[in-house]
Coordinates of all heavy atoms in Angstrom, one line a residue:
A985 N -9.6 0.0 -10.5 CA -9.2 -0.5 -11.8 C -10.3 -0.1 -12.9 O -10.0 0.3 -14.0 CB -9.0 -2.0 -11.8
G986 N -11.6 -0.2 -12.5 CA -12.6 0.3 -13.4 C -12.5 1.7 -13.7 O -12.7 2.2 -14.8
S987 N -12.2 2.5 -12.7 CA -12.0 4.0 -12.9 C -10.9 4.2 -13.8 O -10.9 5.2 -14.7 CB -11.8 4.7 -11.5 OG -12.9 4.5 -10.7
Y988 N -9.8 3.4 -13.7 CA -8.7 3.6 -14.6 C -9.1 3.3 -16.0 O -8.7 4.0 -17.0 CB -7.5 2.7 -14.2 CG -6.3 2.9 -15.0 CD1 -5.4 3.9 -14.7 CD2 -6.0 2.1 -16.0 CE1 -4.2 4.1 -15.4 CE2 -4.8 2.2 -16.8 CZ -3.9 3.2 -16.4 OH -2.8 3.4 -17.2
A989 N -9.8 2.2 -16.2 CA -10.2 1.7 -17.6 C -11.1 2.7 -18.2 O -11.0 2.9 -19.4 CB -10.8 0.3 -17.5
E990 N -12.0 3.3 -17.4 CA -13.0 4.2 -18.0 C -12.6 5.7 -17.8 O -13.4 6.6 -18.1 CB -14.3 3.9 -17.4 CG -14.8 2.5 -17.7 CD -16.2 2.2 -17.4 OE1 -17.0 3.2 -17.2 OE2 -16.6 1.1 -17.3
R991 N -11.4 6.0 -17.4 CA -10.9 7.3 -17.2 C -11.8 8.2 -16.4 O -12.3 9.2 -16.8 CB -10.6 8.0 -18.6 CG -9.6 7.3 -19.5 CD -9.1 8.1 -20.6 NE -8.1 9.1 -20.2 CZ -6.9 9.2 -20.7 NH1 -6.5 8.3 -21.7 NH2 -6.0 10.0 -20.3
V992 N -11.8 7.8 -15.1 CA -12.6 8.5 -14.1 C -11.6 8.9 -13.0 O -10.9 8.1 -12.4 CB -13.7 7.6 -13.5 CG1 -14.5 8.4 -12.4 CG2 -14.7 7.1 -14.6
P993 N -11.5 10.2 -12.7 CA -10.5 10.7 -11.7 C -10.9 10.4 -10.2 O -11.8 11.1 -9.7 CB -10.4 12.2 -12.0 CG -11.7 12.5 -12.6 CD -12.2 11.3 -13.3
V994 N -10.3 9.5 -9.6 CA -10.6 9.2 -8.2 C -9.3 9.2 -7.4 O -8.3 8.6 -7.9 CB -11.3 7.8 -8.0 CG1 -11.4 7.4 -6.5 CG2 -12.6 7.8 -8.7
I995 N -9.2 9.9 -6.3 CA -8.0 9.9 -5.5 C -8.2 8.8 -4.4 O -9.1 8.9 -3.5 CB -7.8 11.3 -4.8 CG1 -7.7 12.4 -5.9 CG2 -6.6 11.3 -3.9 CD1 -7.8 13.8 -5.3
A996 N -7.4 7.8 -4.5 CA -7.5 6.7 -3.5 C -6.5 6.9 -2.4 O -5.2 6.9 -2.7 CB -7.3 5.3 -4.2
I997 N -6.9 7.2 -1.2 CA -6.0 7.6 -0.1 C -6.0 6.4 0.9 O -7.0 6.0 1.4 CB -6.5 8.8 0.7 CG1 -6.6 10.0 -0.3 CG2 -5.5 9.1 1.8 CD1 -7.2 11.3 0.3
T998 N -4.8 5.9 1.1 CA -4.6 4.8 2.0 C -4.0 5.2 3.3 O -2.8 5.8 3.3 CB -3.7 3.7 1.4 OG1 -4.4 3.1 0.3 CG2 -3.4 2.6 2.4
G999 N -4.7 5.1 4.4 CA -4.1 5.3 5.7 C -3.1 4.2 6.1 O -3.6 3.0 6.1
A1000 N -1.9 4.5 6.4 CA -0.9 3.4 6.5 C -0.2 3.4 7.9 O -0.3 4.4 8.6 CB 0.2 3.6 5.4
P1001 N 0.6 2.3 8.2 CA 1.3 2.3 9.4 C 2.3 3.4 9.5 O 2.6 4.1 8.5 CB 2.0 0.9 9.4 CG 1.2 0.1 8.5 CD 0.7 1.1 7.4
T1002 N 2.8 3.7 10.7 CA 3.8 4.8 10.9 C 5.1 4.5 10.1 O 5.4 3.4 9.7 CB 4.2 5.0 12.3 OG1 4.8 3.8 12.8 CG2 2.9 5.2 13.2
Q1003 N 5.8 5.6 9.8 CA 7.0 5.5 9.1 C 8.0 4.6 9.8 O 8.8 3.8 9.2 CB 7.6 6.8 8.8 CG 6.9 7.7 7.8 CD 7.5 9.1 7.6 OE1 7.5 9.9 8.5 NE2 8.1 9.3 6.5
S1004 N 8.1 4.7 11.1 CA 9.0 3.9 11.9 C 8.7 2.5 11.8 O 9.6 1.6 11.8 CB 9.0 4.4 13.4 OG 7.7 4.2 14.0
V1005 N 7.4 2.1 11.8 CA 7.0 0.7 11.7 C 7.5 0.2 10.3 O 8.0 -0.9 10.2 CB 5.5 0.5 11.9 CG1 5.0 -0.8 11.4 CG2 5.2 0.7 13.3
E1006 N 7.2 1.0 9.3 CA 7.6 0.5 7.9 C 9.1 0.4 7.8 O 9.6 -0.6 7.2 CB 7.0 1.5 6.9 CG 5.5 1.5 6.9 CD 4.9 2.3 5.7 OE1 5.7 2.6 4.8 OE2 3.7 2.5 5.6
Q1007 N 9.8 1.4 8.3 CA 11.3 1.4 8.1 C 11.9 0.2 8.9 O 12.9 -0.3 8.4 CB 11.8 2.7 8.5 CG 11.5 3.9 7.6 CD 11.7 5.2 8.2 OE1 12.2 5.4 9.3 NE2 11.4 6.3 7.5
A1008 N 11.3 -0.1 10.0 CA 11.9 -1.2 10.8 C 11.4 -2.6 10.3 O 11.9 -3.6 10.7 CB 11.5 -1.1 12.3
G1009 N 10.5 -2.6 9.3 CA 10.0 -3.9 8.8 C 9.3 -4.7 9.8 O 9.4 -6.0 9.8
K1010 N 8.6 -4.1 10.7 CA 7.9 -4.8 11.8 C 6.7 -5.7 11.3 O 6.2 -5.4 10.2 CB 7.4 -3.9 12.9 CG 8.5 -3.2 13.6 CD 8.0 -2.3 14.7 CE 9.1 -1.7 15.5 NZ 8.6 -0.8 16.6
Y1011 N 6.4 -6.7 12.0 CA 5.3 -7.6 11.6 C 4.0 -7.1 12.2 O 3.8 -7.2 13.4 CB 5.6 -9.0 12.0 CG 6.9 -9.6 11.5 CD1 8.0 -9.8 12.3 CD2 7.0 -9.8 10.1 CE1 9.2 -10.3 11.8 CE2 8.2 -10.3 9.6 CZ 9.3 -10.5 10.4 OH 10.4 -11.0 9.9
V1012 N 3.2 -6.4 11.4 CA 2.0 -5.8 11.9 C 0.8 -6.4 11.1 O 1.0 -6.9 10.0 CB 2.0 -4.3 11.8 CG1 3.1 -3.7 12.7 CG2 2.1 -3.8 10.4
H1013 N -0.4 -6.3 11.7 CA -1.6 -6.7 11.0 C -1.8 -5.9 9.7 O -1.4 -4.8 9.6 CB -2.8 -6.6 11.9 CG -3.1 -5.3 12.4 ND1 -2.2 -4.6 13.2 CD2 -4.2 -4.5 12.2 CE1 -2.7 -3.4 13.5 NE2 -3.9 -3.3 12.9
H1014 N -2.5 -6.6 8.8 CA -2.8 -6.0 7.4 C -1.6 -6.1 6.5 O -1.7 -5.8 5.3 CB -3.3 -4.6 7.5 CG -4.6 -4.5 8.2 ND1 -5.3 -3.3 8.2 CD2 -5.4 -5.4 8.9 CE1 -6.4 -3.5 8.9 NE2 -6.5 -4.7 9.3
S1015 N -0.4 -6.4 7.0 CA 0.8 -6.6 6.2 C 0.9 -8.0 5.7 O 0.1 -8.9 6.2 CB 2.1 -6.2 6.9 OG 2.4 -7.2 7.9
L1016 N 1.8 -8.3 4.9 CA 2.0 -9.7 4.4 C 2.9 -10.5 5.4 O 3.2 -11.7 5.1 CB 2.6 -9.7 3.0 CG 1.7 -9.1 1.9 CD1 2.5 -9.1 0.6 CD2 0.4 -9.9 1.8
G1017 N 3.3 -9.9 6.5 CA 4.1 -10.6 7.4 C 5.5 -10.9 7.0 O 6.2 -11.7 7.6
E1018 N 6.0 -10.1 6.0 CA 7.3 -10.3 5.5 C 8.2 -9.1 5.7 O 9.3 -9.1 5.1 CB 7.3 -10.7 4.0 CG 6.5 -12.0 3.7 CD 6.3 -12.3 2.3 OE1 6.4 -11.3 1.5 OE2 6.1 -13.5 1.9
G1019 N 7.7 -8.1 6.4 CA 8.5 -7.0 6.7 C 8.6 -5.9 5.5 O 9.3 -5.0 5.6
R1020 N 7.8 -6.2 4.5 CA 7.7 -5.2 3.4 C 6.4 -4.5 3.4 O 5.3 -5.1 3.7 CB 7.9 -5.9 2.0 CG 9.2 -6.7 1.8 CD 9.5 -7.0 0.4 NE 8.3 -7.6 -0.2 CZ 8.1 -8.9 -0.3 NH1 9.1 -9.7 0.3 NH2 7.1 -9.5 -0.9
F1021 N 6.4 -3.2 3.0 CA 5.2 -2.4 3.1 C 4.9 -1.7 1.8 O 4.0 -0.9 1.8 CB 5.3 -1.4 4.2 CG 5.3 -2.0 5.6 CD1 6.5 -2.4 6.2 CD2 4.1 -2.1 6.3 CE1 6.5 -3.0 7.4 CE2 4.1 -2.7 7.6 CZ 5.3 -3.2 8.1
D1022 N 5.6 -2.1 0.7 CA 5.3 -1.4 -0.5 C 4.6 -2.4 -1.5 O 4.4 -2.0 -2.7 CB 6.6 -0.9 -1.2 CG 7.6 -2.0 -1.5 OD1 7.4 -3.1 -1.1 OD2 8.6 -1.6 -2.1
S1023 N 4.2 -3.6 -1.1 CA 3.6 -4.5 -2.0 C 2.3 -4.0 -2.6 O 2.0 -4.1 -3.8 CB 3.4 -5.9 -1.3 OG 4.6 -6.4 -0.9
Y1024 N 1.5 -3.4 -1.7 CA 0.2 -3.0 -2.2 C 0.3 -1.7 -3.0 O -0.4 -1.5 -4.0 CB -0.7 -2.7 -1.0 CG -0.8 -3.8 0.0 CD1 -0.7 -3.5 1.4 CD2 -0.9 -5.1 -0.4 CE1 -0.7 -4.5 2.3 CE2 -0.9 -6.1 0.6 CZ -0.8 -5.8 1.9 OH -0.8 -6.8 2.9
Q1025 N 1.3 -0.9 -2.7 CA 1.6 0.3 -3.5 C 1.9 -0.1 -5.0 O 1.5 0.5 -5.9 CB 2.7 1.1 -2.9 CG 2.4 1.7 -1.6 CD 3.6 2.3 -0.9 OE1 4.3 3.2 -1.4 NE2 4.0 1.7 0.2
K1026 N 2.7 -1.2 -5.1 CA 3.1 -1.7 -6.4 C 1.9 -2.2 -7.2 O 1.9 -2.0 -8.4 CB 4.2 -2.7 -6.3 CG 5.5 -2.2 -5.8 CD 6.6 -3.3 -5.6 CE 7.9 -2.8 -5.1 NZ 8.9 -3.9 -4.9
M1027 N 1.0 -2.8 -6.5 CA -0.2 -3.2 -7.2 C -1.0 -2.0 -7.8 O -1.5 -2.1 -8.9 CB -1.1 -4.0 -6.2 CG -0.5 -5.3 -5.7 SD -1.6 -6.1 -4.5 CE -0.5 -7.3 -3.8
F1028 N -1.0 -0.9 -7.0 CA -1.8 0.2 -7.5 C -1.1 0.9 -8.7 O -1.7 1.7 -9.4 CB -2.0 1.2 -6.4 CG -3.3 0.9 -5.6 CD1 -3.3 0.0 -4.6 CD2 -4.5 1.5 -5.9 CE1 -4.4 -0.3 -3.8 CE2 -5.6 1.2 -5.2 CZ -5.6 0.3 -4.2
E1029 N 0.2 0.7 -8.8 CA 0.9 1.3 -10.0 C 0.3 1.0 -11.3 O 0.4 1.8 -12.2 CB 2.4 0.9 -9.9 CG 3.2 1.5 -8.8 CD 4.7 1.0 -8.8 OE1 5.0 0.3 -9.8 OE2 5.4 1.4 -7.9

């Protein structure tokens, strides 16, 4: 957020669960336990 405010180009790369896990909405660690995997992506928007 600080880089955004001060116009600093940083590429933030997130290593994520597999596509099959996300598409199946499985309950995995680091998720919110609700079967959704785009919540954090929406925060970064």
Side-chain angles (χ1 to χ4, degrees):
S987 298
Y988 184 84
E990 299 191 17
R991 298 196 82 125
V992 180
V994 174
I995 302 169
I997 302 171
T998 296
T1002 64
Q1003 289 179 294
S1004 61
V1005 165
E1006 293 191 10
Q1007 290 165 2
K1010 293 184 177 180
Y1011 302 113
V1012 298
H1013 58 297
H1014 297 188
S1015 74
L1016 295 175
E1018 297 175 341
R1020 298 198 309 269
F1021 290 87
D1022 62 352
S1023 299
Y1024 311 134
Q1025 298 167 59
K1026 290 179 179 177
M1027 296 178 190
F1028 273 85
E1029 289 178 3

